[in-house]
Amino acid sequence: MLSQVYRSGVQPFGRRLLPWVQSPGLSRSHRVQTSATRHVRSWSNIPFITVPLSRTHGKSFAHRSELKHAKRIVVKLGSAVVTRGDECGLALGRLASIVEQVSVLQNQGREMMLVTSGAVAFGKQRLRHEILLSQSVRQALHSGQNQLKEMAIPVLEARACAAAGQSGLMALYEAMFTQYSICAAQILVTNLDFHDEQKRRNLNGTLHELLRMNIVPIINTNDAVVPPAEPNSDLQGVISVKDNDSLAARLAVEMKTDLLIVLSDVEGLFDSPPGSDDAKLIDIFYPGDQQSVTFGTKSRVGMGGMEAKVKAALWALQGGTSVVIANGTHPKVSGHVITDIVEGKKVGTFFSEVKPAGPTVEQQGEMARSGGRMLATLEPEQRAEIIYHLADLLTDQRDEILLANKKDLEEAEGRLAAPLLKRLSLSTSKLNSLAIGLRQIAASSQDSVGRVLRRTRIAKNLELEQVTVPIGVLLVIFESRPDCLPQVAALAIASGNGLLLKGGKEAAHSNRILHLLTQEALSIHGVKEAVQLVNTREEVEDLCRLDKMIDLIIPRGSSQLVRDIQKAAKGIPVMGHSEGICHMYVDSEASVDKVTRLVRDSKCEYPAACNALETLLIHRDLLRTPLFDQIIDMLRVEQVKIHAGPKFASYLTFSPSEVKSLRTEYGDLELCIEVVDSVQEAIDHIHKYGSSHTDVIVTENEKTAEFFLQHVDSACVFWNASTRFSDGYRFGLGAEVGISTSRIHARGPVGLEGLLTTKWLLRGQDHVVSDFSEHGSLKYLHENLPVPQRNTN
């Protein structure tokens, strides 16, 4: 049921309605002071009026991540959002999507309110139709024929359009909200209603009553009778209702609202007019910033513009309400923009009174870019010197590192599982191993960036070179393991890449000191900013949207983390593996002495690792043999839970639980055993159920082994060796940024070489392509030239 409430109407449910008004600005527990106490403040270069508030209940949210706790929310729909591009009629698809999102949040138990435009556009559509119809009838009576093409439609007065469109607009909202079993109520206001204290109290009480009854109030200015807006009337003591932006701000503060979402046809607040070459979206706007903001023209429809929105937003923020300005018209995001904002995702411009001490992640990305370019211009010996110094710091500052790690372990005790605690833990031996690995990286980095891969003489005095260069800016996201930070940093330094690091909060103390030591090492050659640690409350999904700042994302952590990042990264390549389903095939000619050792090491040495064994394939001839019994006995002693594959289960009278899926990464002391009839069947099984990570054959038959090595299409394929060797350090790469199972770029453990790409250098002497045409004076030679020998010392 739709409850339409007018200023002089009667409220449903048998209660009398008082005239509707709105307060000039109350935060969640603020009362309005007299006009004599109001004063002007200036935040940034935008003047506005503030009301001194006696705050006794809460503040605006300081961070986006807190928006998920918003209970009472106002959504302001700008004219450009609800109006079609021809400004005549409503954008029904967008409006339906917005109603759906508001309904979802309302049904979650939140209290939603809408401030909407659209009555003028809806009325214009109706009146144009009526005028055309009327004119066509009159002309048909006078001339006997329809002359619609020659008709001139008069300019329609906005107030008349609003009067004709308001009822239809509300009927549309009613039909849409009814689909979600939600009732709506209409409230019309004018500027004249905001100068009487009694009317403000009436409005406040009625709105609270509607929210208590789970009704969505839909508020709009009564454009049928509203006088023309007065210039700068929002600066005359109270913020006026000259547009729906100021109306939404007043409503939000009066109702002690947690969040005001202002939807427009732009992404948010830019530092210069959107569309200009250097315009950058301001992610978070802080009152008091001295940054210069240049405003463009106002919206194509409606009374407001970005300047009006910012003034209203800052006024609401001062009143205790958080504000986000975002795009409600973009077809790819409008269907979830409101829910994304409430979930804390990085959408639009978020207004916050709390400015963090450090740089934003966007600024960190820019610093990593410029620092990385400076790093790439250093001599190879200088980059190596930085890494050697970092290796020394890991051992010299051992006590400080272990003390920070102890804090992380104490805070994680009881919250993390034992395997994760093991990953989180640092020790003297781990730090010594890290230092050794870093020195390996330093030694191998002497001839990495700028190495000539090929040389070609295109023509006389025209020579082409292909050389290695850094990829650009890397984003490495890792969980639990703080030892990952210096490893990845060293590889980035050696390859001349800028680096953004996002570690898990469980290792915050360890990551902080390791990053400080990394920057100390970088400082010896003035490139401290090249490696940045993201400490802000950035969600992984938000980081994956920084496609203009990041060139490659490398996730290191659980398979779920990797899958989430691969899904979230729309425009940035991701290098990694989503799963580590590693197989070991025990051939009929396997050595009894080798099998048990290889299975134990692959499965039990570190079962949480991505290179741990998950599926054991056994040749059918080995069933019910002493070798098979030894394998089972060893697994039982190691307390490994066994899952039987379908074929293996069919051989047994009493078998372990049959596996639910042959494509499972257990990450624990669990193992699937399956039976195959041949090496070819083992290969087929691996290709069907594996993840192209690491697969092993155990056999004494060299021909069978080579067949397996050549035909298994995985990043790492071993013969008579543990799956656990799939590791950058064990491969002699010094360290790894991760293991890649993709078929483009690097594959397997990715070390220094995997963080480089190439560019072409052409050196000529006034060469032009026309000289090589059919009648030109030059001919292509395309001669291969010798490549300078690589320094292997």
Side-chain angles (χ1 to χ4, degrees):
M1 179 183 66
L2 179 68
S3 172
Q4 290 190 331
V5 183
Y6 298 92
R7 290 200 310 120
S8 59
V10 177
Q11 180 176 336
F13 311 112
R15 291 179 60 90
R16 180 175 177 272
L17 283 180
L18 296 172
W20 298 109
V21 294
Q22 192 168 7
S23 157
L26 294 179
S27 75
R28 298 177 188 165
S29 62
H30 307 123
R31 291 192 172 275
V32 182
Q33 306 299 309
T34 63
S35 59
T37 63
R38 299 182 183 120
H39 60 281
V40 178
R41 288 184 57 191
S42 179
W43 281 345
S44 184
N45 55 349
I46 306 170
F48 65 101
I49 295 300
T50 64
V51 179
L53 302 171
S54 176
R55 188 177 300 233
T56 59
H57 178 270
K59 293 183 178 181
S60 61
F61 295 122
H63 306 282
R64 283 185 185 268
S65 58
E66 298 172 341
L67 295 180
K68 63 174 69 75
H69 303 301
K71 169 72 173 177
R72 184 171 293 172
I73 301 171
V74 171
V75 178
K76 184 265 177 178
L77 307 181
S79 299
V81 176
V82 300
T83 306
R84 293 200 317 241
D86 61 3
E87 303 177 21
C88 183
L90 302 181
L92 297 179
R94 283 201 297 267
L95 204 56
S97 175
I98 288 167
V99 168
E100 180 180 18
Q101 295 174 74
V102 170
S103 300
V104 167
L105 296 173
Q106 180 82 3
N107 288 327
Q108 288 176 356
R110 304 179 198 268
E111 296 173 341
M112 305 298 297
M113 290 178 278
L114 279 183
V115 174
T116 181
S117 303
V120 173
F122 201 6
K124 185 184 295 185
Q125 181 185 37
R126 294 182 63 184
L127 291 181
R128 281 186 174 183
H129 180 269
E130 292 297 326
I131 291 171
L132 283 172
L133 183 61
S134 175
Q135 288 182 349
S136 66
V137 171
R138 287 199 303 271
Q139 291 192 13
L141 291 173
H142 286 89
S143 63
Q145 59 181 348
N146 193 351
Q147 300 177 2
L148 288 175
K149 293 183 179 179
E150 300 177 6
M151 296 178 190
I153 299 177
V155 176
L156 299 175
E157 205 277 327
R159 287 192 287 270
C161 292
Q166 187 64 42
S167 60
L169 178 65
M170 282 306 303
L172 182 62
Y173 274 121
E174 174 190 17
M176 290 181 174
F177 276 112
T178 300
Q179 300 301 313
Y180 303 96
S181 301
I182 291 176
C183 182
Q186 179 183 9
I187 301 175
L188 297 177
V189 296
T190 68
N191 194 36
L192 300 176
D193 296 322
F194 297 104
H195 299 283
D196 184 276
E197 183 71 23
Q198 182 61 44
K199 291 183 177 181
R200 287 197 297 269
R201 285 197 295 268
N202 294 342
L203 173 65
N204 188 300
T206 306
L207 285 172
H208 277 93
E209 183 68 9
L210 291 173
L211 294 177
R212 187 188 67 80
M213 293 185 292
N214 201 34
I215 294 174
V216 175
I218 300 177
I219 303 97
N220 195 3
T221 51
N222 191 351
D223 293 324
V225 299
V226 69
E230 299 176 17
N232 293 324
S233 59
D234 58 331
L235 304 181
Q236 298 176 3
V238 295
I239 192 165
S240 73
V241 186
K242 70 173 185 178
D243 55 65
N244 276 345
D245 296 311
S246 55
L247 169 60
R250 291 179 59 108
L251 175 71
V253 175
E254 165 72 8
M255 293 299 295
K256 306 174 186 176
T257 302
D258 301 312
L259 173 62
L260 168 60
I261 299 174
V262 179
L263 296 185
S264 181
D265 57 353
V266 292
E267 305 299 324
L269 177 62
F270 287 77
D271 57 359
S272 56
S276 59
D277 291 338
D278 298 325
K280 292 183 181 179
L281 178 66
I282 299 174
D283 172 46
I284 306 178
F285 189 86
Y286 304 101
D289 273 359
Q290 296 306 309
Q291 61 186 8
S292 176
V293 178
T294 304
F295 295 100
T297 58
K298 76 178 189 69
S299 169
R300 61 176 172 83
V301 289
M303 296 293 296
M306 185 52 70
E307 186 171 7
K309 290 173 177 56
V310 172
K311 288 178 180 178
L314 292 173
W315 193 86
L317 186 68
Q318 174 68 2
T321 295
S322 296
V323 184
V324 174
I325 297 177
N327 192 333
T329 64
H330 195 293
K332 291 185 178 180
V333 299
S334 58
H336 45 80
V337 60
I338 298 173
T339 51
D340 279 355
I341 289 171
V342 176
E343 289 173 9
K345 294 182 180 179
K346 206 166 193 176
V347 179
T349 299
F350 172 62
F351 287 71
S352 174
E353 290 188 290
V354 180
K355 187 172 183 178
T360 66
V361 69
E362 288 81 7
Q363 292 170 330
Q364 287 186 295
E366 292 174 354
M367 289 189 287
R369 174 77 69 190
S370 59
R373 285 172 175 161
M374 292 175 60
L375 185 64
T377 62
L378 297 178
E379 295 297 325
E381 295 78 11
Q382 293 176 305
R383 289 192 295 271
E385 186 180 354
I386 293 172
I387 301 171
Y388 280 126
H389 187 47
L390 177 57
D392 293 338
L393 289 173
L394 291 179
T395 53
D396 295 343
Q397 305 294 324
R398 179 188 304 112
D399 293 341
E400 289 81 356
I401 297 171
L402 294 180
L403 181 62
N405 185 243
K406 183 181 178 182
K407 293 180 181 178
D408 287 327
L409 290 170
E410 289 173 349
E411 293 175 6
E413 192 69 38
R415 295 191 298 109
L416 294 183
L420 293 179
L421 283 173
K422 185 176 180 181
R423 288 187 180 189
L424 178 60
S425 175
L426 293 175
S427 63
T428 299
S429 61
K430 269 191 179 183
L431 293 176
N432 289 337
S433 296
L434 272 174
I436 294 172
L438 264 57
R439 293 186 179 100
Q440 288 180 351
I441 294 171
S444 64
S445 69
Q446 298 291 328
D447 190 25
S448 55
V449 180
R451 177 163 54 90
V452 179
L453 300 180
R454 63 184 296 175
R455 297 177 62 224
T456 304
R457 179 177 286 118
I458 303 297
K460 184 179 180 181
N461 296 324
L462 184 63
E463 294 188 0
L464 178 70
E465 284 185 346
Q466 184 184 25
V467 300
T468 57
V469 294
I471 289 175
V473 175
L474 314 176
L475 168 63
V476 178
I477 302 171
F478 57 100
E479 296 176 322
S480 299
R481 294 179 53 178
D483 53 329
C484 174
L485 193 153
Q487 288 177 332
V488 172
L491 288 169
I493 294 166
S495 56
N497 285 289
L499 179 61
L500 285 173
L501 292 158
K502 174 65 173 175
K505 60 183 179 181
E506 66 278 357
H509 299 293
S510 305
N511 289 337
R512 189 175 299 112
I513 188 170
L514 290 171
H515 177 246
L516 288 173
L517 295 178
T518 301
Q519 290 200 314
E520 181 179 336
L522 287 163
S523 297
I524 65 175
H525 288 297
V527 287
K528 176 183 177 181
E529 309 296 345
V531 177
Q532 297 287 323
L533 179 64
V534 179
N535 287 317
T536 57
R537 300 190 181 192
E538 299 292 333
E539 298 293 336
V540 168
E541 185 174 343
D542 294 329
L543 292 172
C544 292
R545 294 175 180 171
L546 301 177
D547 56 305
K548 294 182 180 179
M549 300 179 182
I550 298 167
D551 298 296
L552 180 66
I553 301 175
I554 305 172
R556 295 193 59 172
S558 66
S559 59
Q560 186 60 52
L561 171 72
V562 179
R563 282 193 295 269
D564 289 345
I565 291 172
Q566 290 174 334
K567 182 179 179 181
K570 305 296 184 184
I572 310 175
V574 178
M575 184 169 66
H577 62 281
S578 59
E579 293 174 306
I581 305 175
C582 302
H583 292 75
M584 180 178 288
Y585 166 58
V586 182
D587 186 53
S588 59
E589 298 180 67
S591 166
V592 176
D593 297 332
K594 295 177 182 177
V595 172
T596 305
R597 278 171 46 83
L598 291 173
V599 173
R600 178 190 288 112
D601 190 79
S602 298
K603 177 73 260 186
C604 308
E605 197 267 341
Y606 192 1
C610 64
N611 56 13
L613 176 63
E614 303 295 5
T615 299
L616 182 64
L617 301 176
I618 298 179
H619 195 283
R620 181 182 58 179
D621 293 347
L622 296 179
L623 291 177
R624 302 183 180 89
T625 65
L627 185 150
F628 178 77
D629 292 339
Q630 286 185 21
I631 295 173
I632 298 300
D633 289 342
M634 181 275 296
L635 293 173
R636 185 180 296 112
V637 170
E638 297 289 341
Q639 298 183 332
V640 177
K641 182 179 180 180
I642 297 174
H643 303 277
K647 290 184 68 174
F648 180 44
S650 68
Y651 283 98
L652 304 174
T653 305
F654 298 99
S655 66
S657 60
E658 186 169 340
V659 68
K660 295 181 180 178
S661 172
L662 291 168
R663 193 179 286 111
T664 301
E665 181 180 13
Y666 298 102
D668 204 346
L669 288 174
E670 297 184 57
L671 180 70
C672 173
I673 297 180
E674 182 59 309
V675 175
V676 293
D677 293 336
S678 64
V679 63
Q680 184 60 58
E681 188 176 334
I683 293 170
D684 292 343
H685 180 104
I686 290 169
H687 287 164
K688 184 174 182 179
Y689 299 109
S691 61
S692 301
H693 191 293
T694 302
D695 299 292
V696 175
I697 183 173
V698 182
T699 185
E700 295 303 302
N701 188 313
E702 183 177 353
K703 184 178 179 180
T704 302
E706 288 300 325
F707 183 85
F708 185 91
L709 294 175
Q710 297 302 319
H711 286 80
V712 171
D713 185 18
S714 295
C716 299
V717 189
F718 302 162
W719 173 22
N720 287 349
S722 168
T723 60
R724 297 278 290 117
F725 278 105
S726 183
D727 176 83
Y729 175 74
R730 295 173 186 128
F731 275 17
L733 305 178
E736 65 184 41
V737 292
I739 294 181
S740 172
T741 56
S742 66
R743 288 166 173 78
I744 299 176
H745 191 51
R747 220 178 163 201
V750 180
L752 176 57
E753 298 290 334
L755 299 181
L756 297 171
T757 185
T758 63
K759 71 177 179 181
W760 298 91
L761 305 177
L762 184 63
R763 298 178 175 91
Q765 294 182 0
D766 194 32
H767 287 82
V768 293
V769 170
S770 59
D771 287 341
F772 295 86
S773 64
E774 183 178 354
H775 303 291
S777 58
L778 295 177
K779 300 294 181 182
Y780 289 110
L781 299 176
H782 292 150
E783 296 177 359
N784 291 328
L785 299 176
V787 174
Q789 292 297 311
R790 183 179 180 182
N791 179 15
T792 58
N793 295 325

